[in-house]
Amino acid sequence: MSAKIINGKEISAKVRAQLAEEVRKLEEEQGTTPGLAVVIVGDDPASRVYVNNKKKDCAEVGIYSEEYALPAETTQEELIALIDKLNSKTDIDGILVQLPLPKHLDEKAVIERISPDKDVDAFHAQNVGKIMIGDYKFLPCTPAGVMELIRECGIDVCGKECVVIGRSNIVGKPMAMLLLHSNGTVTICHSRTKDLKEVCRRADILVVAIGRANFVTADMVKEGAVVIDVGMNRLEDGKLCGDVDFEAVKEVAGHITPVPGGVGPMTRLMLLKNTIAAAAR
Ligand code: NAP
């Protein structure tokens, strides 16, 4: 039997409406409009698309946004000065610096300069630490989006075998933490994992965040498993595809996310959710 497709677009439309309502309430009850500043350095086309989407997402739920587009030759000092200015700007609740930055800039130092109270990407070490102990200031966007998808499908993580492939700081590690905090039994896999296929076949919930097109094949998936594909890979023909061989795996899995239209739309919304949370505080 073919898997149930987890429709990220449909679920995100529902969540978007809830967020718009939260913004409306904040304005009514506290006289506050959440504000997000988006900083982009250089002219990377993919980053430009992401920034445009973020501004559009903000407008859709009533969040005020400002864009700071800086030239590629911006110095570390200039960028830090802008972060300092945004840290003290009272109409700005969240600051997002679009990554990657041009090579001559120190990304880590820039992230650490953002006030932890405005770090809506949850990349600051202080917020990463909070994720570890389960006392969230801000949700890590992609993993939080995945958790919402799992919840919306009525799947209880408690006691389940969860396997995460990928251990990046922005996806794999925080993903594992959120599953753990939901009482899943979590295994994290990476490029040095032995017997990856066997480990994956144990999973009731398999989250894949590698960055390699169609890497997870049907023989790596247990019958009826929930398969969440975080991967976003651009094929030679320009099409977007995930890390999971969708057509084959959907014949084995119980639930599966498509790419596009699965995790991506939810990730975008979690940034808005964090901005609203920052404004509410
Ligand atoms: P990343 O930093 O490159 O990490 C990739 C991870 O995959 C690493 O931990 C790596 O292991 C592991 N890996 C690589 N080859 C492997 C193999 N053969 N077997 C097992 N593990 C392997 O990537 P990322 O930033 O986490 O992103 C992962 C994917 O998700 C990318 O396609 C990215 O575009 C996508 N993404 C999507 C969203 C969304 O909203 N949908 C958001 C963020 C990222 P090592 O640590 O051992 O090298």
Side-chain angles (χ1 to χ4, degrees):
M1 209 179 71
S2 202
K4 187 175 182 304
I5 311 298
I6 303 177
N7 189 333
K9 270 194 188 158
E10 216 171 270
I11 297 171
S12 67
K14 199 170 110 186
V15 178
R16 187 178 294 110
Q18 287 164 0
L19 294 179
E21 178 58 18
E22 280 181 42
V23 171
R24 198 192 57 74
K25 268 198 179 151
L26 257 182
E27 283 173 342
E28 196 177 282
E29 292 167 10
Q30 297 183 28
T32 303
T33 302
L36 176 71
V38 183
V39 180
I40 175 170
V41 186
D43 45 18
D44 175 57
S47 292
R48 172 41 61 199
V49 171
Y50 290 134
V51 165
N52 288 347
N53 284 341
K54 280 162 189 167
K55 288 190 326 193
K56 187 167 148 269
D57 290 342
C58 283
E60 274 174 9
V61 301
I63 291 177
Y64 163 73
S65 71
E66 290 178 352
E67 179 188 317
Y68 294 83
L70 307 181
E73 56 277 11
T74 300
T75 64
Q76 183 79 10
E77 292 68 30
E78 286 165 338
L79 184 53
I80 292 289
L82 173 62
I83 302 291
D84 287 346
K85 185 178 120 187
L86 295 173
N87 278 340
S88 51
K89 215 166 176 283
T90 52
D91 57 350
I92 290 301
D93 303 289
I95 303 169
L96 181 136
V97 177
Q98 186 62 48
L99 303 179
L101 290 171
K103 294 266 177 293
H104 67 281
L105 296 170
D106 179 351
E107 238 170 56
K108 190 166 174 282
V110 171
I111 289 167
E112 293 304 309
R113 192 71 171 213
I114 298 172
S115 159
D117 293 330
K118 296 192 177 188
D119 167 43
V120 282
D121 251 340
F123 289 167
H124 192 288
Q126 221 183 83
N127 289 323
V128 172
K130 286 200 166 271
I131 292 164
M132 187 75 141
I133 56 177
D135 165 24
Y136 304 103
K137 182 172 264 174
F138 295 120
L139 300 160
C141 294
T142 302
V146 170
M147 293 307 284
E148 291 242 359
L149 290 179
I150 292 175
R151 249 192 315 272
E152 282 287 333
C153 292
I155 296 153
D156 185 7
V157 175
C158 183
K160 299 264 169 29
E161 286 283 346
C162 304
V163 173
V164 179
I165 320 183
R167 56 173 164 181
S168 71
N169 288 332
I170 60 166
V171 186
K173 284 184 205 161
M175 185 71 247
M177 279 303 134
L178 297 200
L179 289 165
L180 182 64
H181 294 150
S182 292
N183 299 315
T185 303
V186 184
T187 306
I188 307 176
C189 300
H190 44 79
S191 65
R192 316 287 170 88
T193 298
K194 290 196 179 119
D195 301 326
L196 182 67
K197 179 172 147 186
E198 292 316 312
V199 179
C200 291
R201 281 181 66 86
R202 291 207 304 261
D204 300 310
I205 299 174
L206 178 63
V207 182
V208 191
I210 311 172
R212 292 177 67 165
N214 299 322
F215 181 88
V216 171
T217 46
D219 59 338
M220 297 168 76
V221 176
K222 180 163 94 177
E223 185 91 32
V226 178
V227 179
I228 307 283
D229 189 353
V230 178
M232 282 201 304
N233 309 290
R234 192 64 71 180
L235 299 175
E236 272 178 15
D237 62 5
K239 282 197 183 134
L240 202 60
C241 114
D243 289 348
V244 175
D245 179 358
F246 182 81
E247 289 305 323
V249 172
K250 81 173 178 3
E251 300 306 321
V252 183
H255 289 78
I256 189 167
T257 57
V259 177
V263 174
M266 292 303 289
T267 297
R268 284 167 60 175
L269 287 185
M270 294 304 109
L271 175 73
L272 307 183
K273 196 167 179 169
N274 283 343
T275 306
I276 295 167
R281 274 195 291 268

